[in-house]
Amino acid sequence: MSKLVAAAKKEGTLNVIALPPTWANYGTIIKDFTAQYGIKVNSANPDGTSQQEVNAIKQENGTAAAPDVVDVGQAVALANTTLFTPYQVSTWSSIPAAQKEPTGLWYEDYGGYMAIGYSSKFGTITSMSQLLSPKFKGAVALNGDPTSANAGLNGVMLANLVQGGTASDISKGVNFFHQLKAAGNFNPVSATGATIKAGTTPVVFNWDYLNLPSYVGVSNWKVFVPPGTPLGGYYTQAINKSAPHPAAARLWEEFLYSQAASGGQNLWLQGGARPVEQPAMTTNGSIDTAAAAKLPPVSGTPVFLSQTQATGAATYLSANWQKAIG
């Protein structure tokens, strides 16, 4: 570890991409990493999508600006493993086997459950079907285009499960958004904290940790996690095999997967996201119990997409999404 720290400090720079400061506490994580190691973090395209992250690797490799690391949705990670290099962090054994590629090409990092966040001006939402009502005209948005953004894909999958669909067939979710579009209620704007504050996207399908009032910065914001089959999901870390700062990239991963009180796992948790090592940390006593107690409750039997299901959903959306929403 001391040799890795020395090599990373010599490089002096780390390139990250698509990490909004308010997303899962990344603003604090980046600041603390720099404070601890003195390494400058270049944060490109903070509101970018998973697909834009891998596009940047392809377009910028060979330059000093190429991303060193990515934090992407599972489907995007699985489709681009040839861009990554294996690396196993020192806490490798604390990551469940189902949530990592055996050689270290990729490893899941943090997650949560899909939720519907909304302005309290609409009253209280107790059923997703209410969103078809005329009072939601132009109000319902996703966090990104579901054909390229993982959060967008999972928003459609949440609708699919609520409509009685299965994790292996997302068509009912696409049909629900087609109904929203036909009713004039679908808003094609990709929701962000800024669009929520501006009132442009007053209803948002997004991960629970991105739908908290503290994240969106709107005091009258409510959150509804449809019961029955809550949809969980984790994002995925990987290192660019042609990273311009390979030591800093590896040190960054060590920081993110550290179980220390000031390490990445607890910092993600403090941002409302569930860190992948949470079960191990709960057992060994390193978890921030106060932060864990604040996580939104979920009811029912959680659904987590398999690699095959995530890829199948992405393929279906690629072929059918634009036809559904015009």
Side-chain angles (χ1 to χ4, degrees):
M1 188 67 181
S2 61
K3 291 181 179 178
L4 178 62
V5 171
K9 285 185 174 181
K10 186 176 181 180
E11 292 172 352
T13 302
L14 173 75
N15 295 340
V16 301
I17 184 171
L19 301 183
T22 50
W23 176 299
N25 211 20
Y26 262 123
T28 297
I29 290 171
I30 291 172
K31 177 176 63 68
D32 288 2
F33 177 77
T34 295
Q36 183 167 337
Y37 296 111
I39 294 171
K40 178 184 177 182
V41 178
N42 294 323
S43 182
N45 193 14
D47 291 318
T49 67
S50 295
Q51 187 59 49
Q52 288 174 326
E53 293 185 60
V54 297
N55 289 349
I57 289 181
K58 295 175 181 178
Q59 295 162 6
E60 298 173 359
N61 262 352
T63 75
D68 289 304
V69 293
V70 293
D71 181 355
V72 296
Q74 186 187 64
V76 173
L78 293 173
N80 293 280
T81 55
T82 57
L83 300 177
F84 310 144
T85 190
Y87 183 70
Q88 296 184 4
V89 292
S90 57
T91 53
W92 187 251
S93 63
S94 292
I95 304 173
Q99 295 184 277
K100 59 190 177 186
E101 195 277 330
T103 69
L105 272 178
W106 57 263
Y107 18 93
E108 293 183 350
D109 44 21
Y110 59 85
Y113 291 90
M114 263 290 146
I116 300 170
Y118 62 100
S119 169
S120 61
K121 72 179 184 179
F122 294 113
T124 299
I125 294 177
T126 57
S127 169
M128 193 181 72
S129 61
Q130 291 173 246
L131 300 180
L132 296 170
S133 165
K135 72 177 181 179
F136 291 98
K137 183 74 80 176
V140 185
L142 292 163
N143 178 12
D145 182 339
T147 64
S148 60
N150 185 64
L153 180 152
N154 280 279
V156 179
M157 181 58 79
L158 172 63
N160 179 67
L161 295 174
V162 173
Q163 291 292 97
T166 69
S168 299
D169 181 357
I170 198 173
S171 61
K172 289 185 177 181
V174 173
N175 183 61
F176 179 77
F177 276 89
H178 173 71
Q179 293 178 58
L180 283 176
K181 172 69 174 181
N185 294 1
F186 177 64
N187 186 334
V189 172
S190 293
T192 65
T195 65
I196 291 171
K197 287 179 182 177
T200 307
T201 56
V203 179
V204 180
F205 281 69
N206 208 353
W207 296 113
D208 52 6
Y209 54 90
L210 303 179
N211 248 332
L212 300 174
S214 57
Y215 167 76
V216 302
V218 176
S219 60
N220 66 337
W221 195 253
K222 294 183 177 182
V223 181
F224 171 56
V225 180
T229 52
L231 176 62
Y234 282 76
Y235 279 81
T236 301
Q237 286 285 322
I239 297 174
N240 177 4
K241 70 178 181 182
S242 300
H245 312 102
R250 287 158 175 77
L251 184 61
W252 172 251
E253 299 300 348
E254 292 290 353
F255 181 76
L256 293 181
Y257 288 84
S258 167
Q259 298 177 7
S262 58
Q265 293 289 295
N266 274 317
L267 289 174
W268 273 326
L269 182 61
Q270 290 162 19
R274 293 165 170 82
V276 72
E277 296 175 2
Q278 184 172 352
M281 294 170 68
T282 301
T283 299
N284 67 30
S286 63
I287 198 80
D288 181 333
T289 53
K294 295 178 181 178
L295 295 175
V298 295
S299 62
T301 303
V303 173
F304 292 89
L305 300 185
S306 69
Q307 296 178 12
T308 300
Q309 290 166 340
T311 302
T315 299
Y316 186 89
L317 286 168
S318 179
N320 296 280
W321 178 250
Q322 288 302 325
K323 290 186 290 185
I325 56 99

